[in-house]
Amino acid sequence: MRDNGDVKSTPTDFMTRASELRRRAATCAPGGVHSNVRLTGPDDIIDSAQGARLYGVDGADYIDYLLGQGPALLGHSPGFLTDPICDAVRNGMIVGGQTEQEVRAAELLCAALGWPDMVRFGLSGTEMVQAALRLARAVTGRRLVIRFEGHYHGWLDNVLITDRDGVWEAASAGQLSSHLDDTLVLPWNDADVLADVLERAGERIAAIIMEPIMTNSGVIEPGPAYLERVRRLCSRYGIVLIFDEVISGFRLGLGGAVRRYGVTPDLALYGKAIAGGVPVSALAGREDLMHRIGTGEVNHAGTFNGWAPGMAAVVATLEYLRSHPPYASIAEYGTQLMAGLREIGESVGEPLRVEGLPAVFHVSFGEADVTDYRSLRQLDLDRYASLASALVRHGVWVAQRGIWFISAAHGIAELDATLTRFKTAVKDWLAGRASGRVSDLLGP
Ligand code: PMP
């Protein structure tokens, strides 16, 4: 697509390759995808990604606001990252022992975050959640965990939940619901509710885990003094406070939500943007807790932990974030984009709710004073999901759940093109014309 936002004309057999690949995918992978999150994701077949753009196998280009669900904070495959990764690939990817790169990566990570003494690397956010919960139970000798409505902590049996008419239950067939028996699910951003529960059961709670800014359902900041109160309550009852910064880490700034809100947990998890798109995650924490893993008393393992290309990517990403902080330009871009989306909504008589931070925000229809999952549900999220499909067909790659991620690679050309495409998509969608795929919109 050209930067004025027009959709490029291509031959009428456009998307033939994508259709064929989708057909083949459906025969060899359940649902044609390898993560159930993608069952409702945008569904062109992507050939390559560079900077803030994705290119479909049949020539469509998309401005990317999904960024692989967050990791590509610095854009897709920037040179400062690919060179050290390729060097690491050539020098042996996994040695089953320690490397200098992993020492550097751990030191840099502790320094960048500012508060933890130690880190352990893994590959996914999901597994680090498990490590944190196990460690919290080990150090407290308690079983129960408190978590919050609308927060996501991975897909395993003891954390995957869904809201069925106000009751939080196992979300998947085959999931052992008994694994949720030791979990209490509370509304978030309400310190009184938490204080009340802790008054009755505080002594039995091993951990409180939360996204310190809720990004998996809306993008909702903690209310004034909420995190401080949670911190104080955890200290009072000897509960391990775990921040799940898998999305917020490195996206909100080098110090993540901890630095933004000035509240320090006992343990925290990082993933996604930590390595610019390469699978790496980390458990970070104070030495007095983390050392229990080091003695072997608390088990944490993984064949690929500390794999060399991942460690090279962590080092390159953290050094880059320190030497070229992208946060001001990301904030400027996000602020302009949020304003532009709102303006377009107004201009077509369909006010959009665009809320959150410039680096990650949420778009929906409806009005509500949104402070938690319950108030978020008052918005018309399904209507936005329908618009999101139209946006993808017009070359704006977004998730149906309303979240938009901004990268350092988004520039003025992407901003202009996004707003042009967005306006056309909204108008077509309102006119009921936005059915079908990108190919349906392309002339011969
Ligand atoms: N925690 C949060 C807050 C997340 O957003 C995610 C993934 N979206 C996870 C944990 C799980 O991470 P992963 O997909 O890498 O297992």
Side-chain angles (χ1 to χ4, degrees):
M1 286 179 196
R2 294 189 299 271
D3 286 342
N4 64 5
D6 290 348
V7 176
K8 182 169 69 180
S9 292
T10 57
T12 41
D13 62 357
F14 192 81
M15 293 295 277
T16 302
R17 191 161 153 66
S19 314
E20 167 63 5
L21 286 169
R22 261 197 304 274
R23 188 192 62 71
R24 282 168 53 196
T27 64
C28 59
V33 298
H34 295 274
S35 162
N36 271 25
V37 174
R38 297 180 202 147
L39 287 172
T40 56
D43 77 343
D44 196 355
I45 305 277
I46 298 304
D47 182 49
S48 63
Q50 278 300 325
R53 306 234 179 187
L54 304 178
Y55 301 94
V57 287
D58 291 308
D61 90 303
Y62 301 91
I63 302 161
D64 186 9
Y65 293 101
L66 190 52
L67 301 178
Q69 299 285 353
L73 173 73
L74 298 167
H76 293 286
S77 300
F80 78 85
L81 193 55
T82 50
D83 291 347
I85 291 172
C86 291
D87 287 347
V89 168
R90 277 189 286 269
N91 287 331
M93 281 184 269
I94 191 82
V95 296
Q98 281 53 253
T99 63
E100 186 171 343
Q101 278 293 64
E102 84 181 23
V103 178
R104 287 195 64 210
E107 286 171 350
L108 275 170
L109 182 54
C110 289
L113 296 173
W115 65 273
D117 302 313
M118 294 183 154
V119 297
R120 261 290 171 99
F121 288 115
L123 294 179
S124 69
T126 294
E127 66 188 274
M128 282 321 192
V129 167
Q130 298 303 314
L133 294 177
R134 178 179 287 174
L135 181 55
R137 286 184 166 122
V139 297
T140 58
R142 305 171 182 173
R143 291 177 71 95
L144 295 177
V145 168
I146 289 180
R147 45 93 49 95
F148 297 94
E149 295 175 353
H151 293 218
Y152 179 76
H153 301 297
W155 61 277
L156 299 188
D157 279 15
N158 61 346
V159 285
L160 188 68
I161 53 173
T162 193
D163 170 19
R164 292 208 175 87
D165 300 326
V167 180
W168 290 89
E169 295 177 343
S172 170
Q175 187 180 350
L176 285 175
S177 52
S178 57
H179 283 213
L180 294 168
D181 287 352
D182 296 317
T183 305
L184 304 176
V185 186
L186 301 184
W188 185 65
N189 237 345
D190 189 333
D192 289 339
V193 168
L194 180 65
D196 192 44
V197 170
L198 293 186
E199 207 170 299
R200 286 176 282 139
E203 252 65 306
R204 295 163 54 212
I205 309 294
I208 294 181
I209 183 167
M210 69 164 75
E211 297 179 56
I213 167 172
M214 180 156 117
T215 49
N216 271 290
S217 307
V219 174
I220 307 172
E221 290 201 82
Y226 175 68
L227 296 180
E228 287 88 335
R229 263 191 89 187
V230 175
R231 174 66 275 177
R232 276 201 302 277
L233 286 165
C234 284
S235 301
R236 183 188 313 158
Y237 291 101
I239 297 166
V240 176
L241 177 59
I242 305 170
F243 279 175
D244 184 339
E245 290 228 50
V246 168
I247 287 182
S248 55
F250 309 101
R251 178 157 289 282
L252 271 53
L254 205 46
V258 169
R259 195 162 303 153
R260 179 179 175 86
Y261 301 114
V263 173
T264 306
D266 300 302
L267 299 173
L269 323 161
Y270 299 88
K272 299 207 190 256
I274 192 175
V278 175
V280 176
S281 59
L283 167 68
R286 286 201 325 267
E287 197 272 341
D288 58 314
L289 281 76
M290 297 288 283
H291 87 97
R292 305 279 284 264
I293 300 176
T295 61
E297 180 193 354
V298 176
N299 190 283
H300 164 247
T303 300
F304 292 107
N305 295 355
W307 67 305
M311 295 300 97
V314 171
V315 170
T317 301
L318 296 182
E319 283 180 341
Y320 188 89
L321 287 174
R322 233 173 26 186
S323 58
H324 302 77
Y327 299 108
S329 71
I330 288 178
E332 193 183 331
Y333 186 98
T335 304
Q336 289 183 37
L337 180 59
M338 290 170 81
L341 299 184
R342 283 192 201 108
E343 238 167 67
I344 291 170
E346 293 288 339
S347 73
V348 297
E350 284 288 338
L352 282 161
R353 186 180 177 282
V354 185
E355 291 297 329
L357 305 177
V360 52
F361 57 85
H362 185 259
V363 186
S364 60
F365 289 103
E367 277 177 39
D369 181 14
V370 177
T371 55
D372 60 6
Y373 175 82
R374 292 178 194 201
S375 43
L376 182 80
R377 298 303 303 174
Q378 290 166 21
L379 300 172
D380 196 343
L381 304 175
D382 291 344
R383 188 146 186 266
Y384 174 79
S386 154
L387 173 60
S389 301
L391 290 173
V392 173
R393 291 191 290 269
H394 282 80
V396 181
W397 192 258
V398 286
Q400 292 193 350
R401 64 192 169 111
I403 194 166
W404 288 53
F405 292 106
I406 309 299
S407 82
H410 286 90
I412 189 69
E414 282 74 27
L415 184 64
D416 289 348
T418 302
L419 294 177
T420 306
R421 295 176 189 191
F422 190 86
K423 194 166 192 168
T424 313
V426 172
K427 284 183 175 166
D428 277 11
W429 175 73
L430 285 171
R433 288 196 282 130
S435 59
R437 301 177 176 284
V438 174
S439 52
D440 303 332
L441 301 167
L442 299 174

